[in-house]
Structure formats: C-alpha cells, structure tokens
Amino acid sequence: MRMILRDLWRNKVLLAMMAPALLILLVNNYIPMFGVILAFKNYDYAGGILGSPWAGFSNFKFLFSSTDAWIITRNTVLYNVAFIIINLVLGVTFAILLNEIRSKFLSKLYQSAMFLPYFLSFVVVAYLAYSFLSPELGVLNKFILPWLGLEPRAWYTEAEYWPYILVLVNTWKGIGYFSIIYLAAIIGLDTEYYEAAKMDGANKWQQIVKITVPLLMPVMVIMTLLQIGKIFYSEFGLFYQTPRDVGMIYSTTNVIDTYVYRALMNLGDIGMASAAGLYQSVVGFVLILIANQIVRKYDKDSSLF
C-alpha cells in the first residue's frame, strides 16, 4: 500500500492532467451503465428504476420470440458487414489517391468535398435521397431512366432496391471520414521507405502494394475492430429517415434499432428497449474479443489489447 501511495505521489502531475478526462469518462460512460438493470425490470414510472418490479429475462423474450427477429438480425449484420468492407476498401483507395495529388489546392478541395456529407444530418440526407428517388418528380425517374430507355421505378414500394440504395447512401456520407483517417496515417509514414524503394527502381504501384498498404495495416485492423464492435448497431437515421418509414420495404430496411424504436413507440415498453440495447452491447463486446484474439494470433502488434 505504501508503494502504491508513493507511486501516486511521484506521478501526481500526470494524474492531475488525466483527471478531467477520467471524470468525463466516468460521467458519460460508466455511471449510465447503471441503467442496464432496466433490461431486467418491468419499468414503473411511479417506482422509478430501483422501485420497479423485477422481470427476469421476460424483456428479452419480446425481441427473440418475434417473427421479425431473424429478418432484423440478418439485415443488421449483413448491412454492417457490407459497410465495414466498403469503408475499408474505398477508404484506403481514396486516401492513397488523395495522397498522390500534388496540387495542394486540389487536394484540399477534394478532401472538403468528400468530407462535407459526413456533417449532414440524415434528415437532410433523406430529403436529398427523396429528390433522386421520388416516383413522380425524382431525378432518376424523370430524367436519367428515360434517357437510358428504362421504365420508371417505384423506389419506395419495392424492397429489392433498398440494399443497394442504403449501402450507396451510407458510403457517400461516410467515405470522406474514413479516407481522412487513412490519409492522416499515410502522411505520417516514414518517407525513407519510399526513397529507398525509388532507388531500387520500384514504380508507384509497387510502392503502394509493398510499402503503403503493409504500413497502413495496423490502422486498418484497428478501424475494422472498432466497427465490428458496433456490428449489431445501426445508424438509425439511415434506416429510418432515408426509406421514409415505408412499411412495404421493411423486409430490407428494418434493423434492430428501428424495430425497437417502433415497438417502443407503439408499446411504450422501456424494459424491452433496454433489453435490446444490452443484447447489442454484449454481442458487440464478444465479437470484439473474438476478432481481437484472431488478430492477436496472427499479428500481436496490430491487436487492440
């Protein structure tokens, strides 16, 4: 104990510098975790969190006994798998292309143009999508499809188109964010590797394949692991606002978050919503542990812990 106190006193300046961040982490991340007990209670507004009666695992039954359980789980996982792959491949590709632009003005212009959609809310994105997909006045039905000699489509009533539309919208909105992260990592790479490669006669493609991508691998692994942790979560605005909550396309647009939201709005069951949130968190945490262990097995330095 005396040794611990001595170490704390010796590092008092560092501990004082960490204190604000630790306080924010405690208030924002750990104290709210107390609310997970709502998943095991029949919430009563009069009794509050502690005064509500216990419900065991009955709140989880609503989620898993529903006929939609398979559809919303399938949609959530498959969409997130597609997002992870596309964000990784396109993010790295665009970062490498941006790094090769020699004009500083054009580089900043392209980065700003790609990053701008990231700051738009999904309400705005939903209206932009509607301006393209509107059955009567949308750009696609009114101009592009007739120009290509194709018949107009009822985009908001035909479910088979929405896996492509949602992936496209998500990529357009988020690819700038991922590209900037990978670009920052590329800029930080040691230029001596490239100079040595040029002296050995390596062309640009060989430099990218043999130097840039391998050195970028730790960042790619960490970004992928972080996204795997949220594989059971969905961007609510993307799946609720963009399809405009049309029931005819629920088979391809309904995910766990939108399903819980609609159930909460119809039933007002806070315990069920908490159970779904806890289920998503636990599964995400387990997936991160598994993925991290796999990465650790093959490349210990690239793992999170």
Side-chain angles (χ1 to χ4, degrees), residues 41-77:
K41 289 201 166 194
N42 282 326
Y43 186 70
D44 179 14
Y45 288 95
I49 296 178
L50 296 177
S52 299
W54 291 97
F57 289 93
S58 62
N59 286 325
F60 293 88
K61 291 179 182 175
F62 178 86
L63 187 63
F64 295 108
S65 62
S66 166
T67 54
D68 297 323
W70 158 247
I71 294 175
I72 60 176
T73 303
R74 179 203 65 188
N75 289 347
T76 304
V77 173

Side-chain angles (χ1 to χ4, degrees), residues 223-283:
M223 293 297 294
T224 303
L225 287 175
L226 292 176
Q227 292 179 81
I228 287 174
K230 297 181 178 178
I231 202 166
F232 268 68
Y233 286 89
S234 309
E235 181 61 57
F236 182 80
L238 173 66
F239 290 96
Y240 186 81
Q241 301 283 355
T242 309
R244 305 177 73 84
D245 196 25
V246 177
M248 296 178 67
I249 54 177
Y250 278 174
S251 61
T252 55
T253 61
N254 207 7
V255 290
I256 295 176
D257 290 271
T258 54
Y259 178 79
V260 171
Y261 173 77
R262 292 186 185 105
L264 185 61
M265 293 297 289
N266 294 331
L267 304 175
D269 192 340
I270 294 177
M272 182 274 298
S274 302
L278 181 60
Y279 162 66
Q280 290 174 301
S281 300
V282 171
V283 173

Side-chain angles (χ1 to χ4, degrees), residues 176-193:
Y177 170 78
F178 289 96
S179 298
I180 294 298
I181 290 177
Y182 293 124
L183 178 61
I186 292 173
I187 292 173
L189 298 179
D190 194 340
T191 56
E192 290 185 0
Y193 291 110

